[in-house]
Amino acid sequence: MYQELDVVDGLTVAENVYLGHELSTMGFSQRREATKHTRDILRRLGHPEISPRQEVGNLSAAGKQIVSMARALSHDARVIIMDEPSAVLDSEEVANLFRVVKELTSAGVAVVYISHRLEEIREIGDRITVLKDGKTVAQNLPVSETPTAELITLMTGRNVEYVFPETDGVPDEAPVVLDVEGLALRGVFEDVSLTVRAGEIVGLAGLVGSGRSEILETVYGARKASAGKVHVDGRRLRAGSVAGAVGAGIGLAPEERKSQGLLLDEPVYRNVTLSTFSRFARGGFLDERAERSAADEQARYLDLRPKGVDRAIRTLSGGNQQKAMLARWLVHGCRVLLLDEPTRGVDVGARAEIYALIRRLADEGAAVVVVSSEIPEVLGLADRVLVVSEGRVVHEGPAASIDEHQVLDMVMEGSVA
Amino acid sequence: MSEQKVSVGDAAQQPPAGESHDAGGKDNVPASSSRRSRITAGSFGRNGGLVLALLALFAVGYFTAGDRFLSFNNFTVILQLAAITGVVSIGMTFVITGGGIDLSVGSVLGLASVWATTLATQDMARELGWWIMVLCALAVGLGAGLINGVLVAYGKVVAFIATLAMLVSARGLAELIANRRTQIVDVDSFDDTFKGDFLGLPKIVWIFLLVAVLGWFLLNRTTFGRRTVAVGGNPEAARLAGINVKRHTMFLYGLSGLTAGIGGIMILALTTAGSSTNGTLLELDAIAAVVVGGTLLAGGRGTIVGTVLGVLIFATLTNLFIQNNLDSSVQAIAKGAIIILAVLLQQRLARRS
């Protein structure tokens, strides 16, 4: 099982489960047999509602994860390695995943569970092995006796707490930079209004599929709003125009960094200047020297590692790729930053850095909107929080006046209603 | 570019002197020379296999046909063979780098050659000048290319299908206009301008060289080229960075059509006749040359130098077979083998570097 989903969308669930080791007699596939076995496995996984004949493309991310797991089981595996299985799941689905893992272990299957979410390891693991920079730094730590702080120390090599930067709060007289009014995208979300002042970080909390990412993308013009207005510094943006949004000073760090944000084979500096290279150019001719030096300046400012903006961005870690995304908008000079899952696939050490960076950008006058599946992250980072559920804003208030459980309650209530 | 004046040799690893960049861009910091040597090393890695293949073909030519092959005259012949496919392949390189494909170039070339030689066009050309014919061919090529572009970018028709439809219908339109007859060029000023030699090389070879150099600059040194790579490499990322992906895609097909129009003029200079059969199957030669050259068929990486080498390899191969009076069917088989060999070699070298 891999971190990135590895199922073929165009095939049915059963075909995916038996992909590569199809049940067959003399070259003819035994569809009925495969369907039956798949149904058994899915039942065992606690998901009898997934039909083996369904096309995988129609399933949710969580459903695909289940199919991926079913495939592992179809091999009659004794050992299952799960690489970040929870990356695409929301908390409810993670709970179900854990239930399945526990069933597996009690049935005698050994499970290696790879995750960067320490609380998950704490919940599901028996023993912990810590890897850092390709080396094992600790192994066989008993979960129950190892404090989280110690794990973080082992992982980062230094004493970083899962802490968020201090903030003095936003002064009341700070001007409103981003003003979203009654924004809607038919069938996904409706009547979303929010204002973000200069220096303020607003968080959007909610489950996967609640419409958080779509809200950001619609503000950005990457999806065309069916109703509502977006103003930046008092000027109205044209709906459905990314160029207009970028021109007005909005930057988006998309949810899927690799597939939506980066040109993986291109050097770092070209990724950093992807939205500004024509500004450096004279008469249509590129000025790569100026691009490089602008990218290099941001790379130093953000402490991008490894140094050197000529290497392909594919070779950077997730955290540094995220920094390069931020660098893109720093070079551009942004009034508004929309950050979708800024720490997905980023290890703990780099997270604290990214949090500090986001706060620093806000302190320098940017209006920031952060979306994250990790509720503590939203609460810790943001000044103000909007809770989104089923495409509606169900709560808005200061981040300090609400805790994780309250957010979860609201989210669940919203989805019941 | 100032980089080209800097001597290579000082390979001191030093970050680009960011603070010292100025409007003049005349600073010659050592960093730029180390960067330059890295770039040349990289492009040799990519094009080395092609150069080797070309040299191997030359060796074969020398051993089988001797001095008849290895003469200046014969090299001129090879270049002339390569010229038309070459120009069209430059346009094709852009489309493929941008993540698309253009199957219509051969037909569009034929259509351009026919439209530029109708009785009416030739009458006007005799009256006003040869440029009427040129303008006509270019307009036809650009127009057809933009239609492809609009269909692919805004109509969301798959490139393969949209340009396949253009391939069929442009050929049909050419037949309709020419009434299936060849239209001999009878405009003296046109022949004077495009036929014969200039500085010892046929004029159409100069056109090829000019288009190749312009293409190289366009792909590697301009915002247009950067957008092409971005759009081909990751259209979604390009779009979210604020690049107008649709408009750029349309331009790419327009450019490809334009090069087909230029090819139409060149074929008039070479064969003296506009015909609806001009450029038949040219799209396959162009795609083969581009892919053999090392441009990624999936988009996101393109090389003009590689394309030129690819075109030269095929032209040399054709020439070899003619020199040795060999069957053209065997030649087709050899061509297929070369495509596979070149791509395999290409992958090995790319992995090593």
Side-chain angles (χ1 to χ4, degrees):
Chain A
M1 278 183 69
Y2 301 100
Q3 179 172 7
E4 317 275 333
L5 293 169
D6 58 343
V7 288
V8 184
D9 281 351
L11 297 179
T12 66
V13 171
E15 281 163 342
N16 262 292
V17 167
Y18 281 96
L19 197 65
H21 60 120
E22 288 81 3
L23 298 175
S24 62
T25 347
M26 311 201 16
F28 293 96
S29 57
Q30 298 183 327
R31 305 176 64 91
R32 189 176 317 192
E33 200 70 356
T35 306
K36 187 170 145 286
H37 285 297
T38 304
R39 189 170 290 131
D40 288 345
I41 295 171
L42 288 173
R43 196 170 297 135
R44 215 170 122 201
L45 289 172
H47 280 271
E49 81 281 3
I50 299 177
S51 156
R53 290 207 183 81
Q54 203 169 347
E55 255 189 35
V56 167
N58 301 332
L59 293 175
S60 66
K64 290 178 184 179
Q65 192 82 62
I66 298 294
V67 173
S68 181
M69 203 177 329
R71 181 192 300 164
L73 284 177
S74 72
H75 286 278
D76 288 327
R78 305 297 302 149
V79 179
I80 296 181
I81 301 176
M82 300 185 179
D83 189 357
E84 300 269 6
S86 60
V88 293
L89 305 180
D90 60 38
S91 25
E92 196 186 348
E93 291 162 339
V94 170
N96 189 37
L97 173 75
F98 284 176
R99 193 181 52 71
V100 172
V101 170
K102 278 175 185 144
E103 272 170 30
L104 287 175
T105 48
S106 58
V109 176
V111 176
V112 179
Y113 189 97
I114 302 169
S115 176
H116 64 271
R117 295 183 186 167
L118 297 183
E119 60 290 13
E120 285 181 3
I121 303 243
R122 187 156 296 285
E123 190 176 338
I124 198 73
D126 297 314
R127 285 177 294 120
I128 307 176
T129 295
V130 182
L131 297 175
K132 175 175 183 282
D133 298 333
K135 290 196 197 86
T136 306
V137 291
Q139 54 185 338
N140 292 340
L141 302 173
V143 164
S144 48
E145 293 159 31
T146 315
T148 305
E150 189 186 327
L151 283 181
I152 295 177
T153 312
L154 283 169
M155 282 167 72
T156 57
R158 63 201 126 116
N159 245 323
V160 181
E161 281 190 35
Y162 203 65
V163 289
F164 298 96
E166 286 296 314
T167 168
D168 309 331
V170 185
D172 287 338
E173 68 274 15
V176 170
V177 178
L178 177 68
D179 183 5
V180 177
E181 215 185 306
L183 200 68
L185 185 65
R186 192 163 296 122
V188 183
F189 65 85
E190 55 195 63
D191 197 23
V192 172
S193 298
L194 63 104
T195 57
V196 190
R197 288 180 295 163
E200 191 177 29
I201 301 178
V202 169
L204 292 184
L207 300 177
V208 170
S210 61
R212 309 162 316 186
S213 299
E214 288 82 357
I215 292 174
L216 283 197
E217 287 172 10
T218 308
V219 170
Y220 192 59
R223 290 165 187 261
K224 192 163 183 184
S226 49
K229 300 175 217 165
V230 178
H231 289 88
V232 174
D233 286 330
R235 270 177 304 134
R236 180 163 178 193
L237 299 186
R238 197 154 64 87
S241 163
V242 174
V246 172
I250 305 188
L252 170 74
E255 183 178 12
E256 302 284 341
R257 210 164 34 235
K258 287 179 184 168
S259 64
Q260 297 183 296
L262 300 172
L263 300 170
L264 289 171
D265 289 322
E266 291 290 304
V268 172
Y269 79 91
R270 287 190 188 169
N271 275 286
V272 169
T273 57
L274 189 62
S275 56
T276 42
F277 63 83
S278 54
R279 198 193 294 165
F280 290 104
R282 265 168 281 156
F285 277 84
L286 296 169
D287 185 349
E288 297 208 313
R289 181 186 300 269
E291 284 182 43
R292 241 188 220 100
S293 78
D296 195 55
E297 190 187 316
Q298 295 305 336
R300 282 164 206 261
Y301 176 70
L302 303 177
D303 193 21
L304 197 72
R305 282 177 307 248
K307 286 196 169 55
V309 291
D310 280 324
R311 68 183 76 239
I313 200 149
R314 180 189 290 285
T315 62
L316 267 55
S317 69
N320 283 294
Q321 288 178 349
Q322 190 67 47
K323 285 190 197 169
M325 282 301 302
L326 289 175
R328 176 185 298 168
W329 299 117
L330 288 176
V331 172
H332 187 269
C334 269
R335 304 284 296 129
V336 181
L337 275 173
L338 309 174
L339 309 176
D340 200 348
E341 302 280 1
T343 59
R344 172 177 286 188
V346 173
D347 66 64
V348 174
R351 271 176 188 225
E353 257 184 283
I354 294 208
Y355 295 145
L357 197 61
I358 293 171
R359 175 51 72 185
R360 191 165 65 183
L361 294 176
D363 287 345
E364 285 164 10
V368 182
V369 182
V370 176
V371 159
S372 173
S373 301
E374 289 173 47
I375 294 163
E377 178 171 299
V378 176
L379 296 180
L381 193 57
D383 299 302
R384 212 144 46 80
V385 174
L386 273 67
V387 180
V388 185
S389 174
E390 304 276 291
R392 287 168 190 282
V393 176
V394 293
H395 171 87
E396 179 176 357
S401 69
I402 187 169
D403 66 25
E404 189 177 350
H405 291 287
Q406 286 170 294
V407 172
L408 274 174
D409 281 349
M410 279 186 265
V411 164
M412 298 303 169
E413 244 169 67
S415 51
V416 168
Chain B
M1 287 249 89
S2 62
E3 287 165 41
Q4 280 154 2
K5 289 174 214 142
V6 176
S7 66
V8 180
D10 183 358
Q13 277 302 326
Q14 181 174 324
E19 298 75 21
S20 79
H21 94 274
D22 55 42
K26 288 191 193 86
D27 45 344
N28 50 350
V29 286
S32 74
S33 73
S34 73
R35 189 161 71 233
R36 185 168 157 66
S37 61
R38 202 159 51 235
I39 285 167
T40 38
S43 62
F44 181 78
R46 282 197 300 278
N47 294 323
L50 297 171
V51 173
L52 286 180
L54 198 55
L55 289 177
L57 284 177
F58 281 167
V60 172
Y62 180 71
F63 287 124
T64 55
D67 292 338
R68 195 153 38 93
F69 179 84
L70 223 55
S71 65
F72 179 77
N73 260 350
N74 193 45
F75 283 138
T76 312
V77 170
I78 292 176
L79 283 173
Q80 193 158 325
L81 267 173
I84 293 174
T85 316
V87 166
V88 172
S89 300
I90 299 295
M92 185 70 80
T93 306
F94 279 88
V95 173
I96 292 182
T97 305
I101 191 92
D102 188 350
L103 299 178
S104 70
V105 286
S107 300
V108 171
L109 181 147
L111 178 63
S113 80
V114 165
W115 210 316
T117 53
T118 56
L119 289 177
T121 324
Q122 294 210 43
D123 277 346
M124 263 170 84
R126 269 188 292 273
E127 211 168 294
L128 297 169
W130 53 270
W131 53 269
I132 290 284
M133 291 169 68
V134 172
L135 201 69
C136 185
L138 295 183
V140 168
L142 183 65
L146 288 177
I147 291 173
N148 281 334
V150 168
L151 285 174
V152 173
Y154 296 95
K156 297 195 172 109
V157 182
V158 178
F160 193 94
I161 298 300
T163 59
L164 184 66
M166 180 59 78
L167 179 156
V168 177
S169 44
R171 191 69 75 196
L173 184 58
E175 283 172 2
L176 210 62
I177 293 174
N179 207 8
R180 303 196 185 217
R181 278 193 288 265
T182 48
Q183 305 175 153
I184 307 292
V185 177
D186 185 23
V187 180
D188 293 339
S189 65
F190 181 87
D191 288 347
D192 292 345
T193 313
F194 290 105
K195 295 192 102 144
D197 292 359
F198 176 74
L199 294 178
L201 284 176
K203 284 174 183 165
I204 64 165
V205 171
W206 284 109
I207 295 178
F208 171 34
L209 294 178
L210 187 70
V211 170
V213 169
L214 289 179
W216 186 88
F217 268 98
L218 192 61
L219 186 60
N220 296 301
R221 288 286 180 269
T222 68
T223 52
F224 185 90
R226 179 68 65 79
R227 280 189 206 107
T228 305
V229 172
V231 166
N234 190 342
E236 180 68 0
R239 186 176 80 101
L240 291 180
I243 293 173
N244 191 333
V245 174
K246 287 183 179 173
R247 192 177 62 194
H248 191 75
T249 303
M250 180 182 75
F251 286 162
L252 287 174
Y253 287 91
L255 180 69
S256 172
L258 190 67
T259 57
I262 298 174
I265 299 163
M266 293 164 78
I267 209 157
L268 291 181
L270 195 68
T271 67
T272 72
S275 156
S276 58
T277 59
N278 279 344
T280 306
L281 293 182
L282 183 68
E283 59 280 351
L284 298 186
D285 287 342
I287 293 169
V290 171
V291 172
V292 163
T295 294
L296 226 52
L297 201 49
R301 195 186 310 151
T303 152
I304 297 288
V305 176
T307 296
V308 170
L309 286 170
V311 172
L312 288 179
I313 285 174
F314 286 123
T316 309
L317 187 74
T318 306
N319 178 261
L320 256 176
F321 275 76
I322 295 171
Q323 289 278 354
N324 290 304
N325 293 320
L326 289 172
D327 192 347
S328 66
S329 312
V330 182
Q331 182 194 333
I333 299 171
K335 220 164 161 180
I338 288 222
I339 294 176
I340 299 301
L341 270 177
V343 171
L344 286 177
L345 199 66
Q346 202 69 225
Q347 289 171 349
R348 295 290 134 77
L349 287 170
R351 216 168 296 152
R352 209 180 309 157
S353 60

